[in-house]
Amino acid sequence: MSAPILELVGLKKSYGSQEVLRGVELRVRPAELVCVIGPSGSGKSTMLRCCNRLEEPSSGQVVVDGQDITRPDTDINRVRQSVGMVFQHFNLYPHLSALENVTLALRRVQKKDRAQAEAIARDALTQVGLGHKADAFPAQLSGGQQQRVGIARAIALKPKVMLFDEPTSALDPELVDEVLRVMRALREGGMTMLVVTHEMAFAHAVADRVVFMDGGVVAEQGTPAEVFENPREARTRSFIGRYMDAKSASPA
Amino acid sequence: MDSIIENFFNLEIYRQVLPYLLNGLWTTIWLSVIVIPLGAIAGLLLALGQTQSGSRWVRWTVIAYVDFFRAFPPLVLLIFLYFGLPFLGGDVPKLAAVVIAFVLNNASYFCEVFRAGIQAVHKGQMEAARSTGLTRMQALRYVVLPQAVRNVMPDLLGNCIEVVKLTTIASVVGMPELLRAARDTQSLVYNPSPIVLAALLYLVMLWPLTRVLASLEKRRTGMAGH
Amino acid sequence: MNEANSGFLFTFFNPAVAAQYWHEIARGMVVTIGVGAATVVTGVAAGLVLALARATGRAWLRLPVVLFSDITRSLPPLVIIILLYFGLPALGMPLSSFTSTWLSLSLVLAAYAQESIWAGLSSLPKGQMEAARSTGLGWWQAMRWVLLPQALRRAVPPLTNRVIATTKNTALGSVVALSEILSTAQASAAVAGNPTPLTVGAFLYLLVFLPLVFVARTLEHRSSNRN
């Protein structure tokens, strides 16, 4: 059993009097794809955003590759190079081309020179199937393409773990597949991935482990087979219910 | 510190000059009250000319007018009219020169504001209105203009604030508004306090309006802001 | 009527008077351009710094900026100029008419520039800063490469209008004896006993500012087309 790349220990987060995370415990091992599912308001996104401190935890620890990044003396910018993030609304920089979106951090944070940065960027874009769109601007790309550029932007920095915050929720249904395909390919390449998603079929088929969150804590976790076909908790069952019904109704 | 109070916040002098300044403030207010509606109506007519007219000449004339008065400093315009109008014959009251200069200048800014508001209203609005049988005039009056005005409410208010600030220029030709009163009393008491008091009066008048303007703008762009 | 008409033309468009005094007024134009250019540089630069200070979110930076911006935008520019020129000598800090005019107008432009740039920054989706920070960019780097380029582009239309309005106010410097176009024109007109120099001055103002207005219109067009 290898040491976890990402570990959440007793993670709590409150906004004023409202407690959103009530002590989350989670471990993500190298090359694992962990899918986090759960109802709205369960704190999934907040938990994910604490992993790279876009949200500051109220208490508890986030340990990335052995380093406790919640300590005040952490160089958070350095840490964020090892923790990649893909956003629900893509958040591409509209004034920069796809290539420039990817090279920005390579040049300004990792201090690579222009030629080096562009080579890495083109490589990342090719990996997500958009090598031919390097000079396009976000406004000229479809939602699925924009999200894939977002993925390229994150993987170009060669992170140790990738965080996905509902990566397909803002996409038209016919564009969802191209993004899921890229995510599967990433996983096959050995990337460690923590994915918050509503795509139950994806979680069921591809995840190594599924985590069900409810009310600010991890209510249940296990392999997809365990969680989807044999949930222990009643609330898991009712959440999964609709998906499993639809699945059994239609030929798989 | 003492010299600051003595020279800028001299309460004794404040007491002495306040009546004069209040007279001047009154002039500032009614001057603004005259200019704003005139400028707004003229600006609206110009904007309608620019956006609704089929004739290229009408549109270009309006644009030329607006660009001319955007490029021409209002003080220079005032001096020109003030010294120039008497030459066209007759005894032209000082007030006329001031009001004409201000309205000419301000109408161009109101025109730009209204134009932007009208153009921001979706073309489909006019089409929908006409398709129910409304005439062009009615469509403008009941459908397009109400939305246009709501679009640019902050800018309209901003322009009104600008008119009040513009009135200080009239002090140069001896119009007895607030700044003139301040400068006259300043030369009598040999102390800059009247000017500071005038500044405070402008602040009392305009700062609340500026805050209202800021909140109107926040509502328009729907930002949380600081 | 004819006599009055030709009288009007002869009075305001007298070629002889124009020829005699136009270099004087042209020298005033240099001052107008000088004060205007200096104001634009310092005003916009200061406005940018203030907007950034406000963007840090720290109250001790934000509140003074908002206070300064509110007060400065609520005062007529002429009042500020007169306050500086006639008021400061009482504190033993006399300012020249050039400095009073330039400083006052810069303060005013800085306040408006700050508002426009700040509005541009606030209108950006929060995700932009998040995405930039998530790739390891520091706060300032994110501002410099991601947020400010977008914000400045959005600030261009209101900013160009404000720049024109502020630089036109260099004419107010004539009230405190700045030898720009208006005051030299007025002085020449007084000496000549004829208002033609004022007409010359008016033409020179148009010469300086109409190009700015055209540039502003083009910039507005371009940024609205892009949006």
Side-chain angles (χ1 to χ4, degrees), chain B residues 5-63:
Chain B
I5 298 187
E6 164 84 28
N7 283 298
F8 293 105
F9 300 102
N10 191 316
L11 290 178
E12 180 53 38
I13 292 186
Y14 280 12
R15 227 174 30 81
Q16 285 179 324
V17 303
L18 189 59
Y20 298 101
L21 293 199
L22 287 180
N23 273 334
L25 178 58
W26 175 239
T27 306
T28 295
I29 292 178
W30 65 249
L31 190 53
S32 309
V33 167
I34 294 180
V35 170
I36 289 176
L38 288 177
I41 293 174
L44 180 57
L45 291 174
L46 287 169
L48 287 174
Q50 192 180 349
T51 54
Q52 308 299 317
S53 169
S55 156
R56 216 189 322 150
W57 296 112
V58 170
R59 284 201 303 273
W60 286 359
T61 308
V62 173
I63 295 181

Side-chain angles (χ1 to χ4, degrees), chain B residues 77-153:
Chain B
L77 183 61
L78 176 58
I79 301 263
F80 229 83
L81 287 177
Y82 187 74
F83 290 112
L85 277 184
F87 276 96
L88 289 180
D91 201 11
V92 180
K94 176 189 319 194
L95 179 59
V98 170
V99 170
I100 294 176
F102 285 177
V103 171
L104 282 175
N105 170 272
N106 202 246
S108 70
Y109 287 103
F110 270 115
C111 172
E112 283 295 275
V113 172
F114 281 124
R115 180 189 59 81
I118 292 172
Q119 288 177 335
V121 176
H122 203 273
K123 200 166 65 122
Q125 294 290 304
M126 176 59 102
E127 293 180 346
R130 295 307 301 280
S131 76
T132 63
L134 289 167
T135 66
R136 196 125 217 240
M137 269 285 109
Q138 290 175 318
L140 281 173
R141 172 140 184 258
Y142 296 111
V143 176
V144 175
L145 283 180
Q147 295 184 57
V149 168
R150 207 170 308 154
N151 284 337
V152 292
M153 197 58 97

Side-chain angles (χ1 to χ4, degrees), chain B residues 148-162:
Chain B
V149 168
R150 207 170 308 154
N151 284 337
V152 292
M153 197 58 97
D155 300 304
L156 290 176
L157 179 58
N159 222 8
C160 294
I161 297 178
E162 292 300 309

Side-chain angles (χ1 to χ4, degrees), chain A residues 57-209:
Chain A
S58 305
S59 71
Q61 290 170 296
V62 177
V63 184
V64 175
D65 206 13
Q67 186 193 353
D68 179 359
I69 69 169
T70 45
R71 286 175 53 149
D73 58 355
T74 313
D75 181 356
I76 193 64
N77 291 331
R78 201 192 190 101
V79 169
R80 283 173 179 162
Q81 295 172 53
S82 342
V83 182
M85 186 158 222
V86 176
F87 298 85
Q88 183 179 353
H89 296 288
F90 334 136
N91 291 340
L92 293 188
Y93 314 132
H95 60 303
L96 300 177
S97 70
L99 188 70
E100 288 165 341
N101 261 268
V102 181
T103 58
L104 181 62
L106 288 170
R107 292 181 65 189
R108 305 297 164 192
V109 178
Q110 292 189 342
K111 309 283 193 226
K112 302 212 184 311
D113 66 52
R114 196 199 190 114
Q116 240 188 321
E118 284 193 3
I120 298 176
R122 283 186 198 279
D123 200 52
L125 285 170
T126 310
Q127 219 180 319
V128 302
L130 289 174
H132 59 298
K133 290 280 191 186
D135 295 321
F137 281 79
Q140 300 164 306
L141 300 172
S142 75
Q145 290 171 326
Q146 288 185 53
Q147 189 59 299
R148 288 189 275 151
V149 174
I151 296 176
R153 179 173 62 181
I155 62 179
L157 295 166
K158 307 279 190 291
K160 297 192 184 112
V161 55
M162 287 274 289
L163 309 172
F164 290 80
D165 191 357
E166 303 202 29
T168 57
S169 298
L171 290 175
D172 291 335
E174 66 268 18
L175 300 174
V176 167
D177 274 339
E178 65 193 68
V179 174
L180 293 182
R181 231 175 295 139
V182 168
M183 288 170 68
R184 287 170 105 121
L186 265 184
R187 181 227 182 300
E188 254 132 64
M191 177 63 79
T192 314
M193 296 159 71
L194 181 57
V195 181
V196 170
T197 184
H198 289 308
E199 294 288 328
M200 306 286 207
F202 177 78
H204 196 167
V206 185
D208 293 310
R209 196 152 41 99

Side-chain angles (χ1 to χ4, degrees), chain C residues 85-220:
Chain C
Y85 187 76
F86 289 108
L88 287 184
L91 290 181
M93 291 197 293
L95 291 181
S96 70
S97 29
F98 185 97
T99 314
S100 317
T101 310
W102 161 77
L103 188 57
S104 309
L105 295 182
S106 294
L107 290 173
V108 171
L109 184 55
Y112 280 102
Q114 181 275 129
E115 284 296 316
S116 298
I117 297 174
W118 169 251
L121 279 173
S122 306
S123 66
L124 296 176
K126 198 164 77 116
Q128 289 293 302
M129 177 59 105
E130 289 189 346
R133 294 306 305 273
S134 78
T135 59
L137 287 163
W139 184 89
W140 165 243
Q141 285 181 314
M143 272 290 164
R144 163 88 180 78
W145 299 106
V146 177
L147 293 158
L148 276 182
Q150 299 181 60
L152 288 175
R153 213 161 291 177
R154 294 184 183 198
V156 160
L159 205 50
T160 45
N161 274 324
R162 211 17 94 167
V163 162
I164 294 175
T166 310
T167 48
K168 277 196 314 183
N169 277 335
T170 51
L172 298 178
S174 62
V175 177
V176 294
L178 180 66
S179 304
E180 46 74 65
I181 298 178
L182 180 59
S183 56
T184 48
Q186 280 182 299
S188 308
V191 168
N194 176 295
T196 301
L198 286 179
T199 317
V200 174
F203 274 127
L204 288 181
Y205 271 118
L206 290 175
L207 195 65
V208 172
F209 289 110
L210 270 179
L212 283 187
V213 169
F214 290 149
V215 168
R217 257 199 203 281
T218 321
L219 281 177
E220 278 164 21

Side-chain angles (χ1 to χ4, degrees), chain B residues 17 20-21 180-191 194:
Chain B
V17 303
Y20 298 101
L21 293 199
R180 181 82 262 153
R183 294 191 67 189
D184 288 343
T185 48
Q186 178 229 355
S187 53
L188 286 178
V189 302
Y190 288 108
N191 184 302

